[in-house]
Amino acid sequence: MIQYLAVMNMILSVSSLSKSFQGIELLKDITFKIEEHDKVAIIGVNGAGKSTLLKILTKEENYDQGDIIMNKDMTIGYLSQHNTINPNFTIYEALLDVFQPLIKKEKRLRELEQMMSDPTTLDLIMKEYDQLSYEFDREGGYSYTSQIKGVLKGLGFNDDEWQLPIHILSGGQKTRVSLGRLLLLKPDLLLLDEPTNHLDVPSIEWLENYLKSYPHALIVVSHDRYFIDQVTHTIIEIENGKSKTYKCHYNEYALIKKHNRDVDLKHYIDNQKEIKKMQESIDLLKSFNREKQVKRAESKEKALEKMEKIEKPDALPSTIRIQFKPLLESGFDVLTVNNLGMSFDKILFENVSFEVKRQERVALIGPNGIGKTTLFRILLQELYPSSGKFTLGSKVMLGYYDQEQTSLSQSKTVFQEISDAYPKMTNTEIRNIAATFLFKGEDVFKSMDMLSGGEKGRVVLMKLLLSKSNFLILDEPTNHLDIESKEILEDALLSFEGTILFISHDRYFINKLANKIVEMKADGSQSFMGNYDDYLNKRGAKEEKIVKEVNVDYIEKKKIQA
């Protein structure tokens, strides 16, 4: 039963919450508190119960035990992964509908203005008019149209799309409309489930800036770690049905988590050594078969029974170190792209030039539809360029990760995929490598048609890293992966001794992996040394320089005109 509280700063308290489905306990002990202006991220592996928790908070789902206490007057806004919206509205009308109370007040103000010509009722009219004008101004009555336009543009809707009816939109477009409505409603507690899905990078950056200054509390479920780092200051981790709160940004949480896991593993290993030592001592005493030694053995057995037994921590990817070494080292110049261009009915891109050197990890970035995957298909010689050329260096062995996962056979198991591709590997070697990619125990005998998109992606990546290629070309390798799987992939690629060229919209992944950025545009490309943060800083400095130059030119022209 949800109770209500009247504490000023605290708006939500969850204590010992549990939830089961068909007798299987999903959430066991969820406990946390939210204050007025908190910005919180809920993280955990796929299936941990993150979305279920949000549905419980909005009363869409019941829960078994525990307490939820919330501010009685609190408004909650919820963006789920599956939203419905009035199909008869246009995009603009769907957002305008948020302001119906204001629109009614505006209509009444116009009516009162028409009535002011009657002097007999002027005093009464002015009293209502003044009060209504004050409320209209305070609630943003003079800015709601500009707010709507700002949100529509920020979420990537062009002016010519605003009058499109909702019923013809794609699922992603409908989700963006629902997100826009929520942002304009400004509820006291905003719940967002994967809000960056269906957004391109400029829209995500706009949303980050919007949420940073959001005046109320926010809870977000997201696999976008860069987004989490930018927007939130508290992490609630759900692991094995239990929650743990970290009052920090994601980057700091990741370091704390790794340290804690390492400490837990050390305590477990030390505990196992002590247990083994005592058991060996007991066995030795018993082997003497003398009454005195047997009594000592029995005494030690009682002590062993009372000893604290530390539970074995979950298998930690960070503790398994497998080096994926290329078969041979390539030449220093791995790839040279000169003025590459591609046209279909019209020009897709042209004048793209960049170089990739040995052991560089290069991120190819650019807006959706600019032709990044097409460029990869040219490099794989699946397409012939309309202009320009590219050259692969000496001894380059190319391996490709296809985001469509076409290299997998749906009838094969995980074990068979690896075994058939690499028949010289032993069963133990296959199991060890599979465990590194989170396929543990019987998971290796699951067939491909039983796996999720993220699990299939891990199989493709495992095969690719085992191929001993020295130049990996990766197209959106983190798609469908949860955070833990992404971190496994990052560790594997950071230890890879070859060269990597990759496309990704995951800015945290780019930031951690890339040491060079190639920004691709319709009319060319530009290279930046460093990671994603370095790229943003250099891009910002460049844009600032352009603005200054434009301003100087404008001032000089004005002087000449004067």
Side-chain angles (χ1 to χ4, degrees):
M1 180 180 176
I2 294 179
Q3 305 171 55
Y4 297 98
L5 48 78
V7 180
M8 290 300 290
N9 292 331
M10 187 79 64
I11 62 170
L12 175 66
S13 173
V14 177
S15 180
S16 303
L17 190 76
S18 65
K19 171 70 177 178
S20 298
F21 287 98
Q22 299 177 338
I24 300 172
E25 205 167 26
L26 178 65
L27 303 175
K28 301 174 185 176
D29 180 12
I30 305 297
T31 299
F32 61 88
K33 294 177 180 178
I34 303 291
E35 295 188 357
E36 280 181 336
H37 302 291
D38 280 348
K39 304 285 193 296
V40 177
I42 297 178
I43 67 170
V45 298
N46 290 342
K50 305 182 294 295
S51 296
T52 298
L53 177 57
L54 294 189
K55 289 176 182 176
I56 290 171
L57 296 180
T58 58
K59 304 180 188 177
E60 285 189 24
E61 289 273 5
N62 296 320
Y63 57 99
D64 302 330
Q65 290 182 321
D67 296 305
I68 298 177
I69 306 172
M70 61 178 63
N71 192 314
K72 189 174 183 179
D73 301 320
M74 178 175 68
T75 55
I76 297 179
Y78 176 45
L79 178 74
S80 71
Q81 296 180 56
H82 309 285
N83 269 282
T84 56
I85 198 163
N86 188 333
N88 297 318
F89 282 149
T90 65
I91 292 174
Y92 188 86
E93 287 169 345
L95 271 64
L96 183 65
D97 183 60
V98 168
F99 296 100
Q100 280 306 317
L102 266 178
I103 292 168
K104 287 179 182 177
K105 288 181 180 179
E106 187 175 28
K107 185 178 179 182
R108 180 57 180 163
L109 284 171
R110 301 293 83 83
E111 289 173 353
L112 291 171
E113 287 168 358
Q114 293 296 320
M115 296 163 62
M116 286 178 186
S117 58
D118 186 351
T120 59
T121 57
L122 187 59
D123 287 347
L124 284 174
I125 290 169
M126 287 306 299
K127 187 175 181 181
E128 183 185 352
Y129 186 83
D130 289 344
Q131 178 62 32
L132 206 56
S133 294
Y134 171 74
E135 291 174 7
F136 185 73
D137 184 27
R138 185 188 62 187
E139 294 166 15
Y142 296 105
S143 65
Y144 71 85
T145 55
S146 62
Q147 287 183 58
I148 291 171
K149 291 174 184 177
V151 167
L152 285 172
K153 288 179 179 177
L155 292 176
F157 288 109
N158 298 322
D159 296 10
D160 55 359
E161 295 177 309
W162 295 0
Q163 299 308 317
L164 293 177
I166 298 297
H167 66 82
I168 71 164
L169 302 183
S170 67
Q173 288 172 316
K174 288 176 183 175
T175 300
R176 282 191 281 151
V177 173
S178 297
L179 176 56
R181 284 173 56 87
L182 269 183
L183 297 178
L184 292 170
L185 279 166
K186 294 185 176 70
D188 298 319
L189 178 59
L190 184 58
L191 305 178
L192 302 178
D193 194 352
E194 298 293 353
T196 60
N197 284 2
H198 313 295
L199 296 183
D200 59 15
V201 171
S203 295
I204 293 172
E205 290 177 348
W206 174 87
L207 181 60
E208 285 168 353
N209 289 325
Y210 190 98
L211 294 177
K212 282 177 190 176
S213 58
Y214 187 71
H216 307 299
L218 163 72
I219 298 178
V220 61
V221 169
S222 179
H223 289 126
D224 187 333
R225 295 163 296 169
Y226 199 91
F227 176 81
I228 291 171
D229 226 11
Q230 291 291 307
V231 171
T232 68
H233 54 66
T234 299
I235 305 292
I236 296 173
E237 175 195 62
I238 299 180
E239 189 173 48
N240 299 321
K242 298 180 180 180
S243 66
K244 190 171 183 179
T245 300
Y246 297 80
K247 290 282 187 181
C248 59
H249 291 284
Y250 181 85
N251 208 23
E252 188 179 348
Y253 152 79
L255 295 173
I256 294 169
K257 181 69 176 176
K258 184 180 184 305
H259 172 75
N260 290 347
R261 282 181 181 266
D262 290 344
V263 169
D264 290 344
L265 185 63
K266 186 179 185 305
H267 286 168
Y268 170 75
I269 291 170
D270 290 345
N271 184 243
Q272 288 296 303
K273 285 179 180 176
E274 193 174 350
I275 291 169
K276 184 181 178 183
K277 187 177 178 182
M278 283 191 70
Q279 188 61 56
E280 286 174 348
S281 176
I282 291 165
D283 294 342
L284 180 63
L285 288 168
K286 283 183 176 180
S287 69
F288 293 139
N289 203 20
R290 295 176 185 172
E291 186 178 353
K292 187 176 180 181
Q293 276 78 9
V294 169
K295 283 184 178 181
R296 282 180 63 195
E298 289 172 351
S299 176
K300 284 199 170 194
E301 278 181 327
K302 288 177 182 178
L304 182 58
E305 286 173 13
K306 292 178 182 178
M307 182 190 292
E308 180 189 5
K309 308 293 192 301
I310 295 174
E311 191 175 341
K312 183 178 180 180
D314 291 336
L316 309 179
S318 60
T319 65
I320 306 171
R321 296 295 181 192
I322 295 179
Q323 295 293 317
F324 292 95
K325 293 188 176 181
L327 183 64
L328 51 86
E329 187 176 72
S330 71
F332 182 70
D333 296 315
V334 174
L335 172 68
T336 304
V337 175
N338 285 316
N339 295 317
L340 210 61
M342 190 66 191
S343 300
F344 293 101
D345 293 333
K346 59 180 182 178
I347 294 172
L348 181 62
F349 62 83
E350 59 186 352
N351 300 322
V352 172
S353 299
F354 62 91
E355 294 179 341
V356 178
K357 305 298 184 183
R358 186 175 62 231
Q359 294 191 333
E360 282 188 332
R361 299 187 296 271
V362 181
L364 181 65
I365 66 171
N368 292 341
I370 200 68
K372 300 185 294 293
T373 297
T374 299
L375 189 145
F376 272 17
R377 292 183 65 195
I378 291 171
L379 298 181
L380 294 165
Q381 299 183 40
E382 293 177 5
L383 292 174
Y384 194 78
S386 304
S387 59
K389 64 177 184 177
F390 73 91
T391 307
L392 289 174
S394 64
K395 300 180 182 177
V396 170
M397 296 174 61
L398 195 148
Y400 176 55
Y401 174 84
D402 171 16
Q403 60 173 309
E404 302 299 326
Q405 301 157 358
T406 54
S407 64
L408 300 178
S409 172
Q410 294 303 304
S411 61
K412 287 184 180 180
T413 64
V414 174
F415 189 93
Q416 287 169 335
E417 276 286 349
I418 304 304
S419 179
D420 290 353
Y422 304 103
K424 292 184 180 179
M425 289 182 68
T426 66
N427 289 1
T428 302
E429 286 172 337
I430 292 172
R431 279 185 167 276
N432 284 343
I433 287 166
T436 310
F437 284 83
L438 296 185
F439 294 105
K440 303 164 190 172
E442 296 303 305
D443 289 346
V444 297
F445 299 116
K446 285 183 180 178
S447 61
M448 291 301 125
D449 56 6
M450 292 174 61
L451 301 185
S452 68
E455 288 171 325
K456 289 177 183 176
R458 295 205 304 266
V459 177
V460 176
L461 289 162
M462 195 181 349
K463 288 175 67 178
L464 182 59
L465 287 165
L466 286 167
S467 71
K468 298 190 179 296
S469 302
N470 55 28
F471 183 31
L472 303 183
I473 293 183
L474 313 175
D475 191 356
E476 295 288 359
T478 62
N479 272 9
H480 312 296
L481 299 187
D482 59 30
I483 287 176
E484 187 174 5
S485 299
K486 288 177 183 180
E487 290 176 349
I488 293 166
L489 174 60
E490 285 161 1
D491 287 344
L493 293 177
L494 284 168
S495 67
F496 178 65
E497 295 177 6
T499 307
I500 303 171
L501 173 64
F502 66 99
I503 298 168
S504 179
H505 285 102
D506 186 334
R507 295 162 300 157
Y508 194 97
F509 178 78
I510 297 171
N511 214 27
K512 192 166 181 181
L513 186 63
N515 50 30
K516 185 175 181 178
I517 307 286
V518 174
E519 182 181 29
M520 186 172 164
K521 298 178 180 178
D523 59 351
S525 60
Q526 188 172 1
S527 298
F528 300 82
M529 297 307 298
N531 63 9
Y532 190 77
D533 283 343
D534 295 325
Y535 156 74
L536 287 181
N537 290 334
K538 289 168 185 172
R539 187 186 73 177
K542 184 182 176 184
E543 288 171 355
E544 189 176 331
K545 183 183 177 186
I546 291 169
V547 169
K548 284 180 179 177
E549 287 173 352
V550 169
N551 288 340
V552 168
D553 287 345
Y554 177 77
I555 291 167
E556 290 299 321
K557 285 177 182 177
K558 283 291 182 184
K559 284 180 180 177
I560 292 167
Q561 288 171 2

